[in-house]
Amino acid sequence: MAMREYLKSEGWILVAGEYPGGSDHELYPLNVVDPSVARDNSPDPRRHSLREIIPDLVALRGRDLFIGEAKVGYSEKDRDKLDDLVNTRRLDLLGALRTFARERNVPAVLPVESLVLRPTLVFRETSEAPKVPAGFSYLRIQNMKQGYFEGALCQS
């Protein structure tokens, strides 16, 4: 909740999200699926969730698209997930954003090709973390209302 409050206070528009455990009454999740798995239109939701990625939070400010994964502390697994999402699975992500924009009436993300993807790890300010990887950001949460960026979003 703290990252949402901070982002809103900094002028970001919350687009999509999912709280841990999947219970979110404020936002719809952005489901990034693998078209090679989901192409058969079968009613088997477990099969369609293979290679599915759902970011914890997606927000927009200008053409910057924050794609966040949040934990109490730094998570290398989340860094790998975001790296996969914005690089290897980039076309799947852009396709999911197009569909989301149409189905959930969020035209502000269109055209998706003009978005600047901002993969961001979110965790407590006091957490140990390696140097911010190129193209990534950290959002360090200080309390329920305050935080600060390191990395790519620190400059924008």
Side-chain angles (χ1 to χ4, degrees):
M1 290 184 62
M3 74 174 160
R4 291 181 182 204
E5 292 303 316
Y6 174 75
L7 289 172
K8 287 190 278 189
S9 75
E10 293 294 311
W12 292 85
I13 299 165
L14 303 185
V15 172
E18 184 172 72
Y19 285 125
S23 58
D24 194 321
H25 300 291
E26 181 182 13
L27 300 170
Y28 291 105
L30 176 67
N31 300 308
V32 180
V33 297
D34 182 343
S36 68
V37 174
R39 70 173 174 238
D40 69 349
N41 296 318
S42 79
D44 181 3
R46 286 192 183 141
R47 182 159 181 236
H48 291 251
S49 67
L50 292 174
R51 292 187 29 91
E52 179 181 51
I53 299 175
I54 303 172
D56 290 340
L57 189 63
V58 178
L60 184 69
R61 186 174 69 183
R63 297 315 294 157
D64 284 328
L65 189 75
F66 171 101
I67 305 168
E69 284 295 317
K71 295 279 189 293
V72 173
Y74 172 84
S75 169
E76 188 71 20
K77 184 177 175 185
D78 279 353
R79 191 204 62 80
D80 291 343
K81 175 181 174 180
L82 286 173
D83 185 58
D84 183 44
L85 185 61
V86 301
N87 290 305
T88 309
R89 304 277 308 275
R90 185 183 203 93
L91 293 178
D92 297 344
L93 171 61
L94 296 179
L97 285 164
R98 272 188 217 95
T99 300
F100 188 89
R102 185 180 63 252
E103 291 179 355
R104 302 294 181 197
N105 194 28
V106 187
V109 300
L110 298 173
V112 298
E113 294 78 13
S114 70
L115 295 170
V116 179
L117 304 181
R118 301 295 191 175
T120 305
L121 295 169
V122 182
F123 49 89
R124 283 188 184 158
E125 174 187 37
T126 56
S127 297
E128 297 274 332
K131 183 180 174 194
V132 184
F136 273 72
S137 296
Y138 293 160
L139 172 52
R140 294 204 179 241
I141 299 297
Q142 296 171 296
N143 57 46
M144 287 302 290
K145 299 255 185 213
Q146 296 176 308
Y148 60 91
F149 285 108
E150 293 179 340
L153 281 172
C154 184
Q155 290 88 3
S156 65

